[in-house]
Amino acid sequence: MADTSPQPSRSRDLDKLLLRPGNLVGPRFEPGPETRDDLQAYARVLVVGAGGLGCELLKDLALTGFRNLDVIDMDRIEVTNLNRQFLFRLEDVGKPKAEVAAKRVMERISGVNIVPHFCRIEDKDISFYNDFNIIALGLDSIEARSYINGVACSFLEYDSYNNPREETIKPMVDGGTEGFKGHARVILPGITPCFECTIWLFPPQVKFPLCTLAETPRTAAHCIEYAHLIKWNEVHGGTAFDPDDPEHMKWVYNEALKRAELFGIPGVTYSLTQGVVKNIIPAIASTNAIISAACALETLKIATECSKTLSNYLSYNGTQGVHTKVTEFERDKDCLVCGPGVLIEVEPSVTLQKFIYLLEEHPKLWLSRASVSHQGKNLYLQAPTVLEEMTRSNLSQTLFNLMGKVTRDIVHVNGTATKNDQKISCMRKLLVVFKGTDGVADMDTAGGA
Amino acid sequence: MIKLFKVKEKQRELAENASGGAPIKKQTAGELRLHKDISELNLPKSCAMHFPNGKDDLMNFEVSIRPDEGYYMGGTFLFSFQVSPIYPHEAPKVKCKTKVYHPNIDLEGNVCLNILREDWKPVLNINTVIYGLYHLFTEPNYEDPLNHDAAAVLRENPKLFESNVRRAMAGGYVGQIFFPRCM
């Protein structure tokens, strides 16, 4: 009558990976329950985005054995999310996605602790991101990916041989879906290409010529963009269009409809209007599930080294049958975001003017007419005149003071380099180390505080 | 990496109460590229740049163009530029702040310039855009109209177009529409 067989362990499937040796395991992998326990105790993962992919990711990671999760999302739940963002119910509409998602997963999976953050990713200090061992991305925009990538790469440090210091690598697992297509990739800054190394992978956005919209609309999308980009400003002047305001959207829809009738164009609907204006691509629940599963597995592999990670980009296409392919993209060796930068050691007494002169003489650079920026502050710009004048007074100050008296930091410079007798404009990342400050001149003992 | 996480967790606990540094403004890849574009600008005397937010905000700036030939000679036209953090993946957003009687610029300041929308490519830069804008004043084009009336006049009657432009720039009405002086 009663089922006498013992309850299978909750980690039965995980144990197959973590308790047994294998041929593809990492060099430090030691099979055994300790790895499993450490995974639960020490691995902290941040899930960025609590939408279609984010819901799947949270659930998958929690079921995979991660117990310390955070989730960050700035959006509130909308009715149209409910078909695929399965953690949300009708009564949740209007509530923050991150909070509801965290609560639902914790209710269903005992032992997991998820901390929600209902805010923009830019609102958090950079140090917030450094507290996580792995960052999993379930995002739908290039901007947000680029931002997180910049943050994660900012923790990266290199040793004196330009090898990345392992303890400063902030691994990212990035998922993305578009209808029946998706990708999963592993970004180990300093080892595999960062997001910025391969930003060209993203196709250019389709934009219609404004004059086509104004004069010769041919498609329903033209009519919608006319109402959104031209008519709105004509009528509403100062009020900025808010794509999240249903009244605004309704107005654009009605105007688009009028225009479509005028030109005899069929096909303008409210949902198409939303799609065109907000650049929405229909999301498919199963694509999200597949991509999320791949991402969760990669996250587990990075954490435990129970197997080699994906190297380094998986594309999935479920439009006709199923097609998947793994491509190994290469790093951009001069990447301004994840590259090591050229090491420059200078005395703290060096003025900015002298520093710019040193760049001209530097055998790895030969960079003349350099403009210099540090942490978003423009220290000196060669042109245009207005900016040159605004920054000229910095030339006589010491670089050490201008950089806030730090012992070492990254600066970006651009100017003209001479290569094989040809002058080319270039932009370089430099690691400036001030000699004699905190004994930092020796890179190997510099550490990464 | 889990052993590493373990070590880090211990360090984190130790450092828990140590105060962190001031929050650092993150410089985006777009800003870096824009920095390069701007410091390499090579503008004709007829174009000038303004940075209303000072030297550390290059992402929002203004360009004034004063054509030295053609229909618009002597006028000064102000454009605002808004550059996205993922520049140059995305074109800068450009608006004309000066109300102008022009076939390719509408009365709201929308500009029909191919490289700002459908033909933008990451190899283009701010210099290209400014030259493109300058070109609109020396070669207004009735085939891509945003201001339909102005385009029709330019096509049908270039002499009338010229006098309309002069009237608008001097500050006056063309048809029902008033244009503030911009000379």
Side-chain angles (χ1 to χ4, degrees), chain A residues 40-54:
Chain A
Q40 297 178 346
Y42 296 108
R44 295 194 71 204
V45 178
L46 173 67
V47 176
V48 186
L53 258 181

Side-chain angles (χ1 to χ4, degrees), chain A residues 28 30 34 38-39 42 44 125-126 131 133 142-143 150-151 154 166-167 196 202-203 205 207-211 214-215 229 233-234 302-303 305 371 373 375-378 381 383-384 386-387 390-391 412 414 425 427, chain B residues 1-6 8-10 12 23-29 31-33 35-36 38-41 49-51 54-58 84-86 89-90 95 106 108 110-112 116-118 144-146 148:
Chain A
R28 290 170 300 192
E30 286 167 21
E34 201 199 335
D38 286 351
L39 179 74
Y42 296 108
R44 295 194 71 204
D125 277 353
I126 307 279
D131 281 348
N133 305 117
I142 302 179
E143 282 94 333
V151 172
S154 70
E166 193 185 20
E167 68 275 18
E196 225 58 58
F202 288 86
Q205 290 157 314
K207 292 214 166 152
F208 309 117
L210 279 180
C211 29
E215 281 295 301
L229 295 173
N233 285 330
E234 242 173 74
I302 293 172
E305 297 185 41
S371 297
S373 73
Q375 302 284 12
K377 284 208 160 31
N378 293 312
L381 284 129
V386 272
L387 290 173
M390 280 193 241
T391 52
H412 288 95
N414 63 76
S425 94
M427 174 139 218
Chain B
M1 296 185 93
I2 206 134
K3 299 225 163 60
L4 205 60
F5 300 169
K6 230 167 151 172
K8 274 198 196 176
E9 181 65 25
K10 301 234 162 75
R12 209 168 69 89
I24 302 160
K25 190 186 146 211
K26 193 80 210 78
Q27 200 169 20
T28 62
E31 266 178 282
L32 293 174
R33 161 65 195 263
H35 189 272
K36 175 168 182 281
I38 291 209
S39 62
E40 286 174 359
L41 277 176
M49 293 185 91
H50 320 277
F51 294 87
K55 69 173 179 69
D56 292 331
D57 181 5
L58 303 186
S84 129
I86 55 163
H89 192 75
E90 203 175 279
K95 286 262 183 183
D106 72 12
E108 310 305 318
N110 294 310
V111 182
C112 189
L116 284 177
R117 292 184 62 82
E118 71 275 19
D144 300 321
L146 262 190
H148 188 82

